[in-house]
Amino acid sequence: MKKTLLTIVTGLFFAGIFTVSSGFQTKTTQKEVNPPEGLITIPDNVNTILQNKCFDCHNSKSESMKAKMKLKIDHLATLKKKKIISKLDNIAEAVEEKDMPPKKFLKKYPEQALTDEEAKTLIDWANNTADELMK
Amino acid sequence: MVRKIFIILVIIFVVIQFIPPGRPDNNPVKGKDLMEVANVPQEVASLLKTSCYDCHSQQITYPWYSYVAPVSFLVSRDVREGRKKLDFGHWGDLKKRKQIKALDEISEEVESGEMPMKIYPIMHPDARLSDAQRQQIMDWCESYSDEILN
């Protein structure tokens, strides 16, 4: 009886460790934004901004349905050409017009605001990449 | 008491008729409308005209009740905002990239059922899109944007 209990407890313990570690694993793959088969490769400097300032809402596991529907950064590179163009155009526009990050959100988390330099990097990248894809 | 409220409501109704709703005019520019710029298949063209063109174009037909406040305010706002998002009447002025984006978004909105707006088919039953019609519009978006890209 004691032995069975011990087995169960050890089993649960390892199952726990497994779940936690696989949880970490999905988190890292989730942050993989440049899948090898993608049409575009997001440069590191842009990637950093996207990860720090946009990813928390715009990822495929996000709790915000609206943000997820509009843009999933971790899926961006895998989309069809016209979709990528459309998404990039929207990124450039939303940042340019300061619609993103949302004002309401920034009131709560002012540190998530884009610096002018970050905004410019994002806008230029999105515009140039979209134009490149149009060729 | 009820009578008083009724009279007040009537007065309000009459007074708001004098507030200009700012109803957007139609300013069609020759050669710029989607139908003139692109070769849209007949069936899709008629779907777009019936279900979208009453807000997203320069060929808006205002029904009689859109002249009566407060409905006039709502209609005017919908047309203004609709055109800001997408105006088939100025399709020819859009850069190719913006056209690609517009087509992608049309497809998304039509697929998810966001468009036409729920309130619209109540007064315009013809504008209600069946699943097959939605698919038709989505297929057209796909092939037209491929055409633009190539």
Side-chain angles (χ1 to χ4, degrees), chain A residues 20-34 51 55 61 74:
Chain A
V20 169
S21 62
S22 63
F24 277 128
Q25 229 166 33
T26 45
K27 211 157 192 186
T28 34
T29 43
Q30 193 185 88
K31 286 225 168 192
E32 185 63 63
V33 295
N34 282 321
Q51 295 298 347
F55 193 87
K61 296 193 174 129
D74 45 340

mmCIF file of all heavy atoms in Angstrom, chain A residues 20-34 51 55 61 74:
data_model
loop_
_atom_site.group_PDB
_atom_site.id
_atom_site.type_symbol
_atom_site.label_atom_id
_atom_site.label_comp_id
_atom_site.label_asym_id
_atom_site.label_seq_id
_atom_site.Cartn_x
_atom_site.Cartn_y
_atom_site.Cartn_z
ATOM 1 N N VAL A 20 5.532 21.322 -16.570
ATOM 2 C CA VAL A 20 6.149 22.637 -16.423
ATOM 3 C C VAL A 20 7.188 22.858 -17.518
ATOM 4 O O VAL A 20 7.204 23.884 -18.189
ATOM 5 C CB VAL A 20 6.794 22.778 -15.018
ATOM 6 C CG1 VAL A 20 7.669 24.013 -14.955
ATOM 7 C CG2 VAL A 20 5.706 22.850 -13.959
ATOM 8 N N SER A 21 8.039 21.819 -17.743
ATOM 9 C CA SER A 21 9.101 22.024 -18.723
ATOM 10 C C SER A 21 8.536 22.113 -20.136
ATOM 11 O O SER A 21 8.990 22.919 -20.940
ATOM 12 C CB SER A 21 10.140 20.900 -18.642
ATOM 13 O OG SER A 21 9.511 19.677 -18.947
ATOM 14 N N SER A 22 7.497 21.309 -20.423
ATOM 15 C CA SER A 22 6.941 21.400 -21.778
ATOM 16 C C SER A 22 6.214 22.731 -21.936
ATOM 17 O O SER A 22 6.157 23.290 -23.013
ATOM 18 C CB SER A 22 6.003 20.237 -22.069
ATOM 19 O OG SER A 22 4.907 20.278 -21.188
ATOM 20 N N GLY A 23 5.703 23.228 -20.809
ATOM 21 C CA GLY A 23 5.088 24.552 -20.833
ATOM 22 C C GLY A 23 6.105 25.595 -21.246
ATOM 23 O O GLY A 23 5.856 26.444 -22.087
ATOM 24 N N PHE A 24 7.301 25.481 -20.677
ATOM 25 C CA PHE A 24 8.369 26.406 -21.042
ATOM 26 C C PHE A 24 8.723 26.268 -22.509
ATOM 27 O O PHE A 24 8.960 27.230 -23.197
ATOM 28 C CB PHE A 24 9.629 26.125 -20.195
ATOM 29 C CG PHE A 24 9.554 26.785 -18.853
ATOM 30 C CD1 PHE A 24 9.757 26.069 -17.685
ATOM 31 C CD2 PHE A 24 9.266 28.133 -18.768
ATOM 32 C CE1 PHE A 24 9.668 26.683 -16.458
ATOM 33 C CE2 PHE A 24 9.178 28.760 -17.534
ATOM 34 C CZ PHE A 24 9.383 28.022 -16.365
ATOM 35 N N GLN A 25 8.686 24.994 -22.939
ATOM 36 C CA GLN A 25 9.062 24.742 -24.319
ATOM 37 C C GLN A 25 8.101 25.437 -25.290
ATOM 38 O O GLN A 25 8.549 26.086 -26.222
ATOM 39 C CB GLN A 25 9.020 23.247 -24.578
ATOM 40 C CG GLN A 25 10.271 22.761 -25.262
ATOM 41 C CD GLN A 25 10.364 21.264 -25.198
ATOM 42 O OE1 GLN A 25 9.343 20.580 -25.223
ATOM 43 N NE2 GLN A 25 11.559 20.753 -25.105
ATOM 44 N N THR A 26 6.781 25.318 -25.019
ATOM 45 C CA THR A 26 5.850 25.951 -25.946
ATOM 46 C C THR A 26 6.058 27.460 -25.914
ATOM 47 O O THR A 26 5.880 28.123 -26.908
ATOM 48 C CB THR A 26 4.369 25.660 -25.587
ATOM 49 O OG1 THR A 26 4.230 25.842 -24.201
ATOM 50 C CG2 THR A 26 3.948 24.283 -26.009
ATOM 51 N N LYS A 27 6.471 27.958 -24.767
ATOM 52 C CA LYS A 27 6.680 29.388 -24.693
ATOM 53 C C LYS A 27 7.841 29.817 -25.591
ATOM 54 O O LYS A 27 7.769 30.846 -26.255
ATOM 55 C CB LYS A 27 6.961 29.804 -23.249
ATOM 56 C CG LYS A 27 6.440 31.208 -23.010
ATOM 57 C CD LYS A 27 6.166 31.477 -21.580
ATOM 58 C CE LYS A 27 5.380 32.773 -21.466
ATOM 59 N NZ LYS A 27 5.181 33.177 -20.110
ATOM 60 N N THR A 28 8.901 28.994 -25.620
ATOM 61 C CA THR A 28 10.022 29.378 -26.475
ATOM 62 C C THR A 28 9.656 29.222 -27.945
ATOM 63 O O THR A 28 9.972 30.091 -28.741
ATOM 64 C CB THR A 28 11.300 28.565 -26.183
ATOM 65 O OG1 THR A 28 10.909 27.267 -25.817
ATOM 66 C CG2 THR A 28 12.122 29.214 -25.100
ATOM 67 N N THR A 29 8.977 28.113 -28.302
ATOM 68 C CA THR A 29 8.632 27.968 -29.718
ATOM 69 C C THR A 29 7.661 29.066 -30.121
ATOM 70 O O THR A 29 7.672 29.529 -31.243
ATOM 71 C CB THR A 29 7.969 26.601 -30.027
ATOM 72 O OG1 THR A 29 7.039 26.336 -29.004
ATOM 73 C CG2 THR A 29 8.986 25.482 -30.104
ATOM 74 N N GLN A 30 6.842 29.468 -29.166
ATOM 75 C CA GLN A 30 5.883 30.518 -29.447
ATOM 76 C C GLN A 30 6.604 31.818 -29.841
ATOM 77 O O GLN A 30 6.114 32.604 -30.617
ATOM 78 C CB GLN A 30 5.086 30.750 -28.164
ATOM 79 C CG GLN A 30 3.848 31.565 -28.325
ATOM 80 C CD GLN A 30 3.217 31.813 -26.966
ATOM 81 O OE1 GLN A 30 3.537 32.754 -26.281
ATOM 82 N NE2 GLN A 30 2.342 30.929 -26.564
ATOM 83 N N LYS A 31 7.796 31.994 -29.295
ATOM 84 C CA LYS A 31 8.521 33.229 -29.578
ATOM 85 C C LYS A 31 9.349 33.119 -30.862
ATOM 86 O O LYS A 31 9.991 34.067 -31.276
ATOM 87 C CB LYS A 31 9.437 33.576 -28.397
ATOM 88 C CG LYS A 31 8.646 34.109 -27.212
ATOM 89 C CD LYS A 31 9.298 35.328 -26.608
ATOM 90 C CE LYS A 31 8.350 35.996 -25.633
ATOM 91 N NZ LYS A 31 8.804 37.318 -25.236
ATOM 92 N N GLU A 32 9.333 31.935 -31.459
ATOM 93 C CA GLU A 32 10.077 31.737 -32.703
ATOM 94 C C GLU A 32 9.348 32.463 -33.818
ATOM 95 O O GLU A 32 8.311 32.005 -34.289
ATOM 96 C CB GLU A 32 10.146 30.235 -32.990
ATOM 97 C CG GLU A 32 10.974 29.855 -34.180
ATOM 98 C CD GLU A 32 12.421 30.214 -34.015
ATOM 99 O OE1 GLU A 32 13.068 29.681 -33.105
ATOM 100 O OE2 GLU A 32 12.899 31.045 -34.807
ATOM 101 N N VAL A 33 9.835 33.618 -34.226
ATOM 102 C CA VAL A 33 9.089 34.393 -35.213
ATOM 103 C C VAL A 33 9.594 34.204 -36.637
ATOM 104 O O VAL A 33 8.983 34.659 -37.578
ATOM 105 C CB VAL A 33 9.106 35.902 -34.900
ATOM 106 C CG1 VAL A 33 8.382 36.160 -33.615
ATOM 107 C CG2 VAL A 33 10.507 36.438 -34.885
ATOM 108 N N ASN A 34 10.713 33.547 -36.793
ATOM 109 C CA ASN A 34 11.246 33.386 -38.141
ATOM 110 C C ASN A 34 11.313 31.922 -38.549
ATOM 111 O O ASN A 34 12.371 31.331 -38.589
ATOM 112 C CB ASN A 34 12.632 34.015 -38.246
ATOM 113 C CG ASN A 34 12.554 35.516 -38.370
ATOM 114 O OD1 ASN A 34 11.668 36.026 -39.050
ATOM 115 N ND2 ASN A 34 13.456 36.219 -37.724
ATOM 116 N N GLN A 51 8.877 41.902 -30.033
ATOM 117 C CA GLN A 51 8.789 41.034 -28.855
ATOM 118 C C GLN A 51 8.467 41.835 -27.600
ATOM 119 O O GLN A 51 7.632 41.434 -26.790
ATOM 120 C CB GLN A 51 10.110 40.289 -28.621
ATOM 121 C CG GLN A 51 10.480 39.304 -29.706
ATOM 122 C CD GLN A 51 9.469 38.183 -29.857
ATOM 123 O OE1 GLN A 51 8.609 37.992 -29.008
ATOM 124 N NE2 GLN A 51 9.571 37.463 -30.954
ATOM 125 N N PHE A 55 4.225 41.753 -28.792
ATOM 126 C CA PHE A 55 3.974 40.309 -28.759
ATOM 127 C C PHE A 55 2.973 39.872 -27.691
ATOM 128 O O PHE A 55 2.189 38.956 -27.907
ATOM 129 C CB PHE A 55 5.301 39.579 -28.563
ATOM 130 C CG PHE A 55 5.207 38.102 -28.811
ATOM 131 C CD1 PHE A 55 5.360 37.589 -30.089
ATOM 132 C CD2 PHE A 55 4.971 37.222 -27.765
ATOM 133 C CE1 PHE A 55 5.269 36.239 -30.332
ATOM 134 C CE2 PHE A 55 4.876 35.860 -27.998
ATOM 135 C CZ PHE A 55 5.028 35.369 -29.283
ATOM 136 N N LYS A 61 -1.382 32.677 -28.990
ATOM 137 C CA LYS A 61 -2.031 32.170 -27.773
ATOM 138 C C LYS A 61 -2.581 33.299 -26.911
ATOM 139 O O LYS A 61 -2.920 33.097 -25.754
ATOM 140 C CB LYS A 61 -1.035 31.326 -26.983
ATOM 141 C CG LYS A 61 -0.645 30.100 -27.783
ATOM 142 C CD LYS A 61 0.076 29.062 -26.974
ATOM 143 C CE LYS A 61 0.276 27.827 -27.825
ATOM 144 N NZ LYS A 61 1.643 27.348 -27.829
ATOM 145 N N ASP A 74 3.841 35.614 -34.265
ATOM 146 C CA ASP A 74 4.528 34.339 -34.447
ATOM 147 C C ASP A 74 4.073 33.594 -35.703
ATOM 148 O O ASP A 74 4.666 32.593 -36.077
ATOM 149 C CB ASP A 74 4.371 33.461 -33.200
ATOM 150 C CG ASP A 74 2.945 33.430 -32.664
ATOM 151 O OD1 ASP A 74 2.165 34.349 -32.984
ATOM 152 O OD2 ASP A 74 2.612 32.492 -31.940
#
